[in-house]
Amino acid sequence: METVLSDIFAVESIRQDFPILNQTVHGKPLVYFDNAATTQKPRPVIEALAQYYEQFNANIHRGIHTLAERATAEYEATRDKAREFINAAHREEIVFTRGTTEGINLVAQTYGRQVLKPGDEVIISGMEHHSNIVPWQMICEQTGAKLRVIPVTDSGEIILEEYEKLLSEKTKIVAVVYVSNSLGTINPVREIIEKAHAYGAKVLLDGAQASAHLDIDVQSLDADFYVFSSHKVYGPTGVGVLYGKRELLEAMPPYQGGGEMIKDVSFEKTTYNELPYKFEAGTPNIADTVAFKAALDYVTAIGKPAVGEYEHDLLTYATGAMQEIDGLRIVGQAKEKISVVSFVMDGIHHQDIGIILDTQGIAVRTGHHCTQPLMNRFGILGTSRASFAMYNTREEIDRLVRGLHKVKKMMN
Amino acid sequence: MTINETQDEIIEEFSLFDDWEEKYEYIIDIGKKLPPLQEQFKTEDNIIKGCQSRVWLHADRDDEKVLFAGDSDAVIVKGLIALLIRVLSGHTAEEIARADLYFIDRIGMKQHLAQTRANGLLAMLKQMKLYAVAYSTMSK
C-alpha cells in the first residue's frame, strides 16, 4: 500500500516545487508542520508574483492602456478559477476579500445587519475560530439578536441532536466551520445546511481549513456563503474569497464605500456597481490575487482526491506513532478528520514542547489556536498542533516522534 | 557583583555549551530550581500578559534594593525569569532602570524578546524596569 501510494503521489518532486522547504533550522533540516496556520508557496506562485510586478503591474478595470488590460484580465482570470475551484454557479458570486476573517465580517455586517431583528438567533458551534465568533457577537450586540452555540463531544464532534434543538423560526443565520483548525474535525456540513434551510435560515461555512484538503462544491452542499483564504491553499497572504449565492449578494447592501464599488456618484445620490464589484471597494490586492490563480492551478493539477488520500495516510501514520508515546494524549479524535494532530503531554507545557521541537528544526503551532472557548470545553489552556500538507512525509513524522521523545527526556 | 558582572558570568557559562539542546537543558534546569512564587503573589495584578504561558512577577524592596520573584507554568520561560532575576534582583532601582541587558543577545536567546506574542519575556523585562522606575520616583 505504501509503495503504491508513493508511486502515485510524487511527494519528492512536489517538495522540489517548494523552495522554502530546502533549508536547515538550528542546523537541522526544516520539518514544517504548521500548515493549518499557513501553507508554503510553490514556485509557480512565487514566479507569478514577480512576473506581475516585472511585466504588467497596473491598476485594474478602468485603465484603457495595455498593461491595465492585461492586469485586469489576469485578475479576473483568478475569479474564474476560484469559481471553478469551489464549483460556484456564476463568476459574480466570487467576491475577493483580504481573507476568511474579512469575508465573515462582510456577511455579518451586510446580510446580518439587514435580516437580524431583536430576538432573532444566530447559531455557531463550540469549535469555531475566534474569527467566526466575534463578528457574530458584534452584530448580535448591534441588532439585539442572540448567539446560540452547538455543543461539542469529548471526541471533538458537533452534537447534531443539540443543533436540532437549537433550530427554530428565530434562527436566521447558522455559521459553522467546515473543518476545525484546532482539532481537524470534518463537520457534517451537508446535514447542518439541510436542517437550517428547513427553518429558512441561511448558512455560512468557514472553509479556511477545508479548502486545501477537501473537494469543495458549494452548489452540491447548497451553502449560502462560503469563505476561505488563499494563504492556506498554497497561495499568497492577503487574499480571500467570499462566495455567496447571487440572489443573496444582490439583495445585500454594500460593505465599504469607495472607488470601484460605485456606478454613479453625485453629492445627492450614489448608485452602486453590479456584482461582485459592489463588494470590492478601493484598489484591491491585485498582485496577490493574480498569483492566487497559480496556487489554485497547482492544487488542481495534482488533484485534491490524490492530495486527500496522501494526507490521510500521513494522518493515520502520525496518529498511530504518536499514540505510542507515553503521556501523550491526542485532543480531537473525530471519525472524520483532515491531517491535523493536536495533542497535550502530561506535565509539560505546550510552549516548552514548541521551543524544544524548534531546536530540532520542527515547526509546530502551540497555544489556543484562536479557539479559546473550545480549549475551555476541554479544560486545557492550549495544545501543540502538527498539521500536514501535501509536501510532508512519513520520514518527517518519524522526526517529530523522535523530537517528542527528546522533549520528554529534557523535561523530566 | 554588579549587573554587568553577573551578565558576563552568564555569558561565560553559556559559552561552554555546544548546541541549542545543551543551552535549553541548562535553562530548563535553572527553571526547575527557581523557588515557586508564593500563592498569595500569583494575583491578576502580578500576571504578565503573554499569549502562550502565564508569567507572574512580584517586586519587593529592601532599603534601596529591589527584590524580584517570579514564576511561570512553562519551564523554559521560568528559566529565563530565573536568569533575569539573577541579573537584576538586589540592585537599586536606578541601576535596574539604567541596565543594558546585553546578555540575552549574547547567549542566543534574543528570539525570546521578539514581538511574536509567543511569550511574556519582553513584557516581563519592561515590567521589571517599570517597577524600578516607580520605586525610584517614590523615593525622590
Side-chain angles (χ1 to χ4, degrees):
Chain A
M1 182 66 200
E2 289 150 47
T3 45
V4 176
L5 242 186
S6 56
D7 280 352
I8 300 167
F9 199 77
V11 66
E12 277 316 314
S13 92
I14 288 173
R15 288 182 71 81
Q16 297 305 314
D17 292 335
F18 290 82
I20 204 169
L21 298 177
N22 184 26
Q23 66 174 299
T24 57
V25 169
H26 296 310
K28 316 262 169 62
L30 167 68
V31 172
Y32 185 79
F33 282 165
D34 196 15
N35 295 290
T38 196
T39 50
Q40 299 302 346
K41 319 307 169 199
R43 200 169 269 117
V45 171
I46 300 166
E47 282 166 2
L49 267 176
Q51 194 190 34
Y52 169 78
Y53 283 120
E54 284 174 5
Q55 296 177 16
F56 56 95
N57 170 50
N59 211 333
I60 52 172
H61 290 140
R62 282 158 313 278
I64 50 153
H65 55 80
T66 305
L67 292 191
E69 273 170 17
R70 166 110 192 257
T72 304
E74 301 268 356
Y75 180 86
E76 291 301 330
T78 302
R79 199 184 309 274
D80 291 323
K81 180 67 203 179
R83 184 208 62 74
E84 182 192 315
F85 193 75
I86 60 171
N87 194 33
H90 312 282
R91 69 186 313 277
E92 62 270 27
E93 293 177 324
I94 303 294
V95 175
F96 288 125
T97 61
R98 282 187 296 141
T100 303
T101 300
E102 191 180 49
I104 298 169
N105 276 282
L106 191 158
V107 174
Q109 288 300 325
T110 57
Y111 183 76
R113 189 179 288 276
Q114 200 172 41
V115 303
L116 292 172
K117 303 277 176 301
D120 283 346
E121 294 183 350
V122 175
I123 297 178
I124 61 172
S125 87
M127 64 173 87
E128 299 307 318
H129 188 283
H130 296 164
S131 301
N132 202 29
I133 301 173
V134 184
W136 301 113
Q137 280 175 329
M138 287 165 67
I139 194 66
C140 282
E141 218 162 85
Q142 289 157 3
T143 58
K146 234 179 115 182
L147 193 66
R148 308 296 299 267
V149 183
I150 317 165
V152 171
T153 64
D154 289 341
S155 61
E157 291 162 294
I158 279 177
I159 306 174
L160 279 174
E161 303 79 70
E162 295 296 325
Y163 168 56
E164 281 175 63
K165 282 185 216 159
L166 289 176
L167 281 168
S168 75
E169 304 300 326
K170 289 185 277 184
T171 312
K172 292 294 177 293
I173 299 168
V174 176
V176 289
V177 70
Y178 196 161
V179 168
S180 156
N181 70 311
S182 306
L183 310 174
T185 310
I186 304 172
N187 285 317
V189 292
R190 190 178 296 275
E191 273 177 88
I192 290 172
I193 291 170
E194 235 174 65
K195 290 182 199 309
H197 285 172
Y199 287 88
K202 302 297 180 211
V203 181
L204 175 140
L205 291 184
D206 169 357
Q209 296 296 332
S211 304
H213 307 280
L214 307 177
D215 244 330
I216 308 298
D217 186 334
V218 290
Q219 290 187 80
S220 150
L221 288 173
D222 201 17
D224 300 294
F225 299 103
Y226 185 90
V227 286
F228 71 106
S229 298
S230 149
H231 75 98
K232 291 191 203 287
V233 195
Y234 307 97
T237 54
V239 189
V241 166
L242 158 66
Y243 159 81
K245 283 181 184 163
R246 188 163 60 186
E247 63 272 23
L248 290 172
L249 292 178
E250 262 163 8
M252 278 152 58
Y255 180 45
Q256 292 177 327
E260 186 88 327
M261 55 78 71
I262 51 90
K263 193 171 274 163
D264 275 303
V265 177
S266 71
F267 288 118
E268 289 71 40
K269 183 166 172 58
T270 292
T271 52
Y272 304 124
N273 205 338
E274 60 203 19
L275 288 178
Y277 310 109
K278 181 171 90 174
F279 295 108
E280 293 181 0
T283 297
N285 185 349
I286 305 166
D288 292 308
T289 307
V290 168
F292 180 24
K293 177 171 182 291
L296 296 177
D297 285 337
Y298 186 87
V299 176
T300 310
I302 292 168
K304 271 205 266 182
V307 169
E309 196 185 335
Y310 178 75
E311 289 174 342
H312 190 76
D313 175 71
L314 292 179
L315 173 71
T316 310
Y317 184 73
T319 305
M322 288 167 74
Q323 269 168 344
E324 297 281 299
I325 300 171
D326 201 32
L328 183 147
R329 184 168 60 87
I330 294 175
V331 181
Q333 313 224 27
K335 284 181 284 298
E336 299 288 328
K337 273 180 75 172
I338 59 148
S339 47
V340 166
V341 184
S342 221
F343 61 96
V344 290
M345 290 172 88
D346 285 346
I348 307 177
H349 195 280
H350 48 77
Q351 185 179 15
D352 291 322
I353 296 172
I355 292 173
I356 297 170
L357 287 178
D358 181 59
T359 66
Q360 315 295 309
I362 302 166
V364 297
R365 184 135 303 237
T366 60
H368 52 60
H369 316 297
C370 294
T371 54
Q372 279 182 316
L374 183 65
M375 297 294 117
N376 290 340
R377 157 69 181 81
F378 288 111
I380 51 181
L381 287 167
T383 71
S384 303
R385 180 188 70 188
S387 49
F388 314 122
M390 61 161 103
Y391 41 65
N392 290 127
T393 65
R394 283 187 170 209
E395 291 70 40
E396 290 181 309
I397 292 168
D398 292 339
R399 281 202 36 215
L400 171 67
V401 171
R402 283 201 295 276
L404 290 171
H405 280 295
K406 184 149 273 173
V407 169
K408 277 185 69 178
K409 197 178 124 246
M410 284 175 74
M411 296 299 295
N412 293 322
Chain B
M1 205 179 270
T2 65
I3 286 177
N4 285 358
E5 280 166 356
T6 313
Q7 294 200 78
D8 294 339
E9 195 180 70
I10 294 171
I11 292 165
E12 179 78 30
E13 285 166 18
F14 271 78
S15 70
L16 300 171
F17 303 133
D18 291 331
D19 59 18
W20 288 98
E21 214 173 298
E22 289 184 4
K23 280 183 189 175
Y24 278 111
E25 268 169 359
Y26 179 73
I27 291 170
I28 289 166
D29 191 46
I30 56 176
K32 283 181 176 168
K33 285 181 184 148
L34 183 72
L37 189 66
Q38 292 171 40
E39 282 304 315
Q40 81 230 45
F41 297 132
K42 285 191 175 180
T43 60
E44 268 306 300
D45 278 351
N46 280 341
I47 208 160
I48 309 271
K49 300 285 178 216
C51 194
Q52 299 239 328
S53 54
R54 284 178 298 176
V55 176
W56 296 269
L57 183 71
H58 176 70
D60 219 335
R61 283 178 84 176
D62 179 18
D63 284 333
E64 291 299 294
K65 289 170 180 161
V66 185
L67 302 174
F68 291 111
D71 209 341
S72 172
D73 50 4
V75 178
I76 291 171
V77 171
K78 212 168 148 184
L80 295 169
I81 297 171
L83 287 176
L84 286 179
I85 291 176
R86 179 170 153 201
V87 171
L88 294 178
S89 192
H91 291 279
T92 67
E94 213 173 323
E95 284 166 348
I96 295 165
R98 275 193 290 116
D100 165 27
L101 294 180
Y102 54 82
F103 85 100
I104 297 168
D105 191 11
R106 295 276 297 277
I107 65 173
M109 291 293 138
K110 202 181 174 186
Q111 79 268 26
H112 289 290
L113 291 178
Q115 302 275 8
T116 57
R117 295 195 305 163
N119 66 58
L121 191 65
L122 187 66
M124 185 163 57
L125 191 54
K126 274 190 190 152
Q127 193 58 40
M128 286 171 123
K129 292 215 168 201
L130 268 177
Y131 273 127
V133 172
Y135 282 138
S136 62
T137 356
M138 269 160 58
S139 49
K140 269 169 195 165

